[in-house]
Amino acid sequence: MSEESIGIVLLGCGVVGGGVVKILTEQAQMLRRRAGIRFDLRHVVVRDPKKHAGQFPALPLTTNAEAAIDDPKTQIVIELLGGTTTAGTLIERALRLGKSVVTANKSLLALRGPELFALARKHDRCIAFEASCGGGIPIIDAICRGLVANRIDAIVGIVNGTCNTILTRMTRNGWSYPTALEEAQKLGFAEADPTLDVSGRDAAQKLAVLASLAFNVRLSAADTLTEGIQNLQPADIQFAHDLGYVIKLLAIAERDSEDRLALRVHPTLVRQDDVLAEVSGGFNAISIYGHALGHALFYGRGAGQMPTASAVVADLVNVAIGTTPLAFRRLKIFPDSAAPAKILPIDQLRSRYFLRVSAKDQPGVMAEITHALGQHGISLSAILQRESVDSQIVPVVITTHLAQEGAIRGALKEINALPTITSPTVCLRVIDQPKEFSVLSKSEW
Amino acid sequence: MSEESIGIVLLGCGVVGGGVVKILTEQAQMLRRRAGIRFDLRHVVVRDPKKHAGQFPALPLTTNAEAAIDDPKTQIVIELLGGTTTAGTLIERALRLGKSVVTANKSLLALRGPELFALARKHDRCIAFEASCGGGIPIIDAICRGLVANRIDAIVGIVNGTCNTILTRMTRNGWSYPTALEEAQKLGFAEADPTLDVSGRDAAQKLAVLASLAFNVRLSAADTLTEGIQNLQPADIQFAHDLGYVIKLLAIAERDSEDRLALRVHPTLVRQDDVLAEVSGGFNAISIYGHALGHALFYGRGAGQMPTASAVVADLVNVAIGTTPLAFRRLKIFPDSAAPAKILPIDQLRSRYFLRVSAKDQPGVMAEITHALGQHGISLSAILQRESVDSQIVPVVITTHLAQEGAIRGALKEINALPTITSPTVCLRVIDQPKEFSVLSKSEW
């Protein structure tokens, strides 16, 4: 068996980078046996070599990213720096020099994906990015190849492990958001500045990457309605529970019959018997609904050193043996060759809603609230009002049938302006998983 | 965009074949856009063209498989005949003529996989077989490419939709096996002769395909301990339920620290809170445990016209654009280039067990049973004995801690020989899902 040596460079050696080094070192023999390739880790680019020298005494550490990329024996560049500025510049440099790129950088792909893909194409190289979404779950490959025969109708996923970890603790322990966040930070599951994760922005970037491939469209950040978990109250988690739901941060992309996409990331009430309700802690799960496939779900660790490194090294192997470059060249599913998506105007988004109204405990309040909803054509599915403890403020929880976002926003404006309403109404969305579309007539079996 | 025309032949036009025709026809434009390929369906080989002419008036139906394959414009042959004789001969013919093959035929792959793969390699062509396991779930691709950086430690799956459908009905409706089977046959979920499915043999064939790729070994049919669902009693499903379990037909492949494999298909008690317990009806789910990835699960429709056709057409696209042939050529993971597996002797298999003993209601019986188990070093985890209704025969249900198959078999021989035992003891296995192996130290999060 002939054995090929492939020169690679690692840009960044943090948590995931360390995992990549670990797999390349400990599984070198397995990779050689499976792929016939010996990976020659020529340079590991870090800011402070002294910091890493203790952990990896044998690594070729350097601070000079340009020289590492320019090294004529460097064939593949693995970008694990994060951020969009330096990472972008170095990826461009690699592509211009005819080196393929493996990256986990969803921020960069969401921001400059089409441009970088086009650059790769111009130089007949590719960008592989399995690790950008879903950690170790091979979801990019599944969408690009495994489901290529499907017109995809919807993606519904839990794609941010930090938010899911915080929500799991809030739900199981009854913790407040600040308590759960603090605990997650202490254990290393949330960053010191958690904004990117808890705002939903990280999930929105991943959704953009997945949706652009699944629907073969070009997206921009503004296309996704994004709400985070920062304002979630334990009360809402409790009320949701009493109604038979769990609150999850979902990333949802749906195609309507006119090929318009609705893209959104927000805390969502999921039925307790839905498989997504069971996805806890750092796990991710992505449901895909295809016209032929029906419902499929991909579940696994969405982050962490070794799961993410698993995806990076898989990309490395698949770039090295040529399958990913070939797929990149042949499949016209990447956003550089796609038209901008037709986005459903946000007011026309249809969803079910969960409203928690805080009202003074006095006669006629319920009539005012339900009148406002009725005026906007919104019909109610459930109402939950408990006896008030201090008999001053009563929380009234209402779930609706399918309604338009515009109608809900109009009704809420009216409701919040009522003199009997003591604080702004909490508005969350409720998902009933998309139905399968005729895959099997006897699908109830 | 240049467009390539690829000549294809369909061998067999039953349920799945009809689905393939449907996708190729209705989604022709999407496939052209995504892959730059126009599939030219040159021949559809059927036994009785008259039977199909009504449904597919425009199809190039023929009975002459050899001529269809030999047609110089035929580039890819899709084999959906099933069976191992004719299908094998025609696949060989195609490969010898330099045509790649797409097949869903797990029986043939389990029986002659290595030989056919070697033939394909000799002629620089490939065999694609995504549809052979897990219906529309892209599980073959995930194992071959997405998880290539993992030493895989275990596969645990529900891979036979017929059995899962029957078990779901037995569990939910309290039906007997014959009633559930009859209903499944009436609705088309089970064949007139259901033996291949209900005996566990179909699942064993799929497990062989998956395990040979995951563990890079060569397997033969005798390597898998195979027990079907035909003898399952409603009583066992009920007792399992009372103990917190659901009974599923699982296909399990595990690697031990000495690289020995244990392969088995049998009815298995799965904890009610296990995600596999939720997989009902025709759905399949396959858990994979990788050293870096940890636990990942792939879920979707395991059979049916359109889900299986989704996998067949994905293979077709991936063969046509060249990625599957390239992976087949470059990755040394296929069983034709693998050594025979080291199989763990069946007596050394370790599992937990569920025993249902039918004993006469008289003093000393329990002492005899527990004595026999103790003598073989088997320790008990739970005992369930209800007050007897007719006070003649008492069912005693026992679950054990981890024990060796050999010890259980020895103990059962003794127990069944006791004069107080009225019928052979029912013995089922209990699974505690494999633990993750150090992927995250804080994996409880």
Side-chain angles (χ1 to χ4, degrees):
Chain A
M1 189 171 89
S2 70
E3 185 179 289
E4 193 179 346
S5 174
I6 298 274
I8 59 176
V9 158
L10 194 56
L11 303 178
C13 196
V15 173
V16 176
V20 171
V21 170
K22 216 169 141 157
I23 295 180
L24 290 177
T25 312
E26 295 175 1
Q27 305 298 333
Q29 201 191 337
M30 181 185 79
L31 294 173
R32 275 208 292 270
R33 199 185 64 234
R34 286 186 178 165
I37 288 172
R38 198 178 65 77
F39 289 104
D40 173 18
L41 183 54
R42 302 187 58 76
H43 312 281
V44 176
V45 179
V46 293
R47 209 172 301 170
D48 181 4
K50 273 185 241 112
K51 221 184 88 189
H52 297 79
Q55 200 193 345
F56 299 114
L59 281 193
L61 297 167
T62 170
T63 57
N64 192 337
E66 287 79 6
I69 294 170
D70 296 356
D71 174 351
K73 289 198 169 160
T74 296
Q75 291 163 276
I76 303 175
V77 174
I78 305 172
E79 184 276 306
L80 297 172
L81 300 166
T84 53
T85 319
T86 311
T89 311
L90 295 176
I91 286 177
E92 287 179 52
R93 186 181 191 100
L95 294 172
R96 290 214 171 89
L97 290 168
K99 298 162 193 217
S100 280
V101 169
V102 172
T103 179
N105 197 330
K106 56 254 161 201
S107 302
L108 183 61
L109 293 176
L111 186 70
R112 296 183 51 202
E115 176 198 343
L116 294 172
F117 289 137
L119 184 65
R121 221 173 280 290
K122 187 175 155 196
H123 295 276
D124 200 19
R125 287 299 173 272
C126 77
I127 300 177
F129 49 99
E130 185 61 73
S132 66
C133 301
I137 310 168
I139 186 68
I140 303 284
D141 200 43
I143 292 177
C144 292
R145 293 165 39 98
L147 311 188
V148 69
N150 284 265
R151 180 197 72 223
I152 292 176
D153 294 307
I155 301 175
V156 179
I158 293 172
V159 295
N160 184 282
T162 303
C163 288
N164 204 48
T165 294
I166 291 172
L167 291 177
T168 300
R169 283 300 134 179
M170 288 177 73
T171 304
R172 289 198 187 153
N173 303 15
W175 288 352
S176 70
Y177 168 75
T179 305
L181 171 62
E182 198 183 323
E183 195 66 16
Q185 286 173 319
K186 227 182 274 170
L187 291 170
F189 292 109
E191 306 277 342
D193 177 0
T195 315
L196 184 63
D197 289 314
V198 300
S199 67
R201 216 145 53 79
D202 172 84
Q205 290 170 350
K206 290 168 178 165
L207 183 66
V209 171
L210 296 175
S212 67
L213 297 171
F215 301 107
N216 313 140
V217 291
R218 191 186 282 231
L219 294 167
S220 68
D223 293 336
T224 302
L225 166 70
T226 307
E227 294 175 10
I229 62 168
Q230 312 98 314
N231 300 319
L232 264 189
Q233 301 294 321
D236 295 312
I237 292 176
Q238 186 58 50
F239 276 118
H241 177 265
D242 296 348
L243 290 164
Y245 293 94
V246 174
I247 298 184
K248 293 286 182 189
L249 185 79
L250 293 192
I252 305 171
E254 285 169 299
R255 201 181 56 76
D256 73 6
S257 56
E258 296 168 47
D259 258 339
R260 296 179 303 181
L261 293 184
L263 297 154
R264 49 204 173 107
V265 170
H266 51 61
T268 313
L269 278 75
V270 176
R271 282 173 54 100
Q272 277 159 7
D273 63 1
D274 189 307
V275 62
L276 291 178
E278 299 289 327
V279 177
S280 57
F283 277 91
N284 279 192
I286 298 145
S287 277
I288 297 190
Y289 295 81
H291 92 283
L293 176 74
H295 178 202
L297 179 121
F298 301 82
Y299 168 93
R301 292 204 170 271
Q305 178 175 56
M306 298 309 288
T308 311
S310 161
V312 170
V313 179
D315 267 350
L316 195 57
V317 168
N318 291 311
V319 170
I321 67 170
T323 48
T324 299
L326 184 55
F328 185 74
R329 193 156 62 237
R330 291 293 308 258
L331 293 174
K332 299 291 176 279
I333 58 172
F334 298 90
D336 61 309
S337 52
K342 285 189 280 178
I343 298 293
L344 184 77
I346 184 70
D347 276 3
Q348 293 179 38
L349 178 71
R350 283 170 67 78
S351 174
R352 292 182 55 220
Y353 293 84
F354 164 101
L355 308 174
R356 178 164 57 85
V357 186
S358 299
K360 288 183 195 152
D361 192 5
Q362 59 187 53
V365 171
M366 189 62 93
E368 290 176 330
I369 297 168
T370 51
H371 178 76
L373 293 168
Q375 283 291 95
H376 286 85
I378 298 157
S379 78
L380 311 189
S381 132
I383 301 186
L384 190 62
Q385 178 182 345
R386 292 246 175 68
E387 290 190 3
S388 164
V389 181
D390 63 2
S391 63
Q392 294 293 314
I393 313 277
V394 193
V396 180
V397 167
I398 294 169
T399 60
T400 75
H401 288 298
L402 275 181
Q404 283 206 342
E405 181 87 12
I408 282 283
R409 290 185 181 191
L412 284 183
K413 212 166 159 184
E414 275 177 39
I415 290 171
N416 287 337
L418 292 171
T420 45
I421 298 301
T422 56
S423 54
T425 298
V426 170
C427 173
L428 301 172
R429 294 171 192 83
V430 180
I431 195 175
D432 300 308
Q433 288 267 355
K435 291 279 171 293
E436 293 193 3
F437 302 82
S438 71
V439 175
L440 282 180
S441 51
K442 297 151 191 160
S443 65
E444 71 280 8
W445 262 63
Chain B
M1 190 172 89
S2 70
E3 186 180 288
E4 194 179 347
S5 174
I6 298 273
I8 60 177
V9 159
L10 193 54
L11 303 179
C13 197
V15 174
V16 176
V20 171
V21 170
K22 215 170 142 144
I23 295 181
L24 290 177
T25 312
E26 295 175 3
Q27 304 298 332
Q29 202 192 337
M30 182 185 79
L31 294 173
R32 275 209 292 268
R33 200 184 62 233
R34 286 186 178 166
I37 288 171
R38 199 178 64 77
F39 289 104
D40 172 19
L41 184 53
R42 301 187 60 76
H43 313 280
V44 176
V45 179
V46 293
R47 210 171 301 169
D48 181 3
K50 273 187 242 110
K51 221 183 89 190
H52 297 80
Q55 198 191 347
F56 300 113
L59 282 192
L61 296 167
T62 170
T63 57
N64 192 337
E66 288 78 5
I69 294 170
D70 297 356
D71 174 351
K73 289 199 169 161
T74 296
Q75 291 162 275
I76 303 174
V77 174
I78 304 173
E79 184 275 307
L80 297 172
L81 298 165
T84 53
T85 319
T86 310
T89 310
L90 294 176
I91 286 178
E92 287 179 56
R93 186 182 191 98
L95 293 172
R96 290 215 171 88
L97 290 169
K99 300 165 193 218
S100 279
V101 169
V102 172
T103 179
N105 195 329
K106 55 254 159 202
S107 302
L108 183 60
L109 292 177
L111 185 70
R112 295 182 52 202
E115 175 198 343
L116 294 172
F117 290 137
L119 183 65
R121 221 173 279 290
K122 188 176 155 197
H123 294 277
D124 201 19
R125 287 298 173 273
C126 76
I127 300 177
F129 49 99
E130 185 60 74
S132 65
C133 301
I137 308 169
I139 187 68
I140 303 284
D141 200 43
I143 291 177
C144 292
R145 294 168 36 99
L147 311 188
V148 69
N150 284 266
R151 181 197 73 224
I152 292 176
D153 295 309
I155 301 175
V156 179
I158 293 172
V159 296
N160 183 281
T162 302
C163 288
N164 204 47
T165 294
I166 291 172
L167 291 177
T168 300
R169 284 297 134 181
M170 289 177 72
T171 305
R172 290 198 187 152
N173 303 15
W175 288 353
S176 70
Y177 168 75
T179 305
L181 171 62
E182 199 183 321
E183 195 66 16
Q185 286 173 319
K186 226 182 276 171
L187 291 169
F189 292 110
E191 307 276 342
D193 176 0
T195 315
L196 184 63
D197 289 314
V198 301
S199 66
R201 216 145 52 81
D202 172 84
Q205 290 169 349
K206 290 170 179 164
L207 183 67
V209 172
L210 296 175
S212 68
L213 297 170
F215 302 106
N216 312 140
V217 291
R218 191 186 284 232
L219 294 167
S220 68
D223 293 335
T224 303
L225 167 69
T226 307
E227 295 175 9
I229 61 168
Q230 313 97 313
N231 301 318
L232 265 188
Q233 300 294 320
D236 295 311
I237 291 175
Q238 185 59 50
F239 277 118
H241 176 265
D242 296 348
L243 291 163
Y245 293 94
V246 175
I247 298 184
K248 293 286 182 187
L249 185 79
L250 295 192
I252 304 172
E254 286 169 298
R255 202 181 55 76
D256 73 5
S257 55
E258 296 169 47
D259 260 338
R260 295 180 303 183
L261 293 185
L263 298 153
R264 48 203 174 106
V265 169
H266 50 60
T268 314
L269 278 75
V270 175
R271 282 173 53 99
Q272 276 158 8
D273 61 1
D274 190 308
V275 62
L276 291 178
E278 299 291 326
V279 177
S280 57
F283 278 90
N284 279 193
I286 298 145
S287 277
I288 297 191
Y289 295 81
H291 91 284
L293 175 74
H295 178 203
L297 180 122
F298 302 81
Y299 168 93
R301 292 206 169 270
Q305 178 175 56
M306 298 308 288
T308 310
S310 161
V312 170
V313 178
D315 267 351
L316 194 58
V317 169
N318 291 311
V319 169
I321 67 170
T323 49
T324 299
L326 185 54
F328 185 75
R329 193 154 65 236
R330 291 294 307 260
L331 293 174
K332 299 289 176 279
I333 59 173
F334 298 89
D336 61 310
S337 52
K342 285 189 283 178
I343 298 293
L344 184 77
I346 185 69
D347 275 3
Q348 293 179 39
L349 178 71
R350 283 169 66 78
S351 173
R352 293 180 55 219
Y353 292 85
F354 163 102
L355 308 175
R356 179 164 57 85
V357 187
S358 299
K360 286 182 195 153
D361 192 6
Q362 58 187 54
V365 170
M366 188 63 93
E368 290 176 330
I369 296 168
T370 52
H371 177 76
L373 293 168
Q375 283 291 95
H376 286 85
I378 297 158
S379 78
L380 311 189
S381 132
I383 301 185
L384 188 64
Q385 178 181 344
R386 293 247 175 68
E387 290 190 2
S388 165
V389 181
D390 63 0
S391 63
Q392 293 296 310
I393 313 277
V394 193
V396 180
V397 168
I398 295 169
T399 60
T400 76
H401 288 297
L402 276 179
Q404 284 206 342
E405 181 87 12
I408 284 283
R409 292 186 179 189
L412 284 183
K413 211 165 160 183
E414 274 177 38
I415 291 171
N416 288 335
L418 292 171
T420 47
I421 298 301
T422 56
S423 54
T425 299
V426 170
C427 174
L428 300 173
R429 294 170 193 84
V430 180
I431 194 173
D432 300 308
Q433 287 267 357
K435 290 278 171 293
E436 292 192 4
F437 303 84
S438 69
V439 174
L440 281 181
S441 51
K442 298 150 193 161
S443 65
E444 72 277 9
W445 262 64

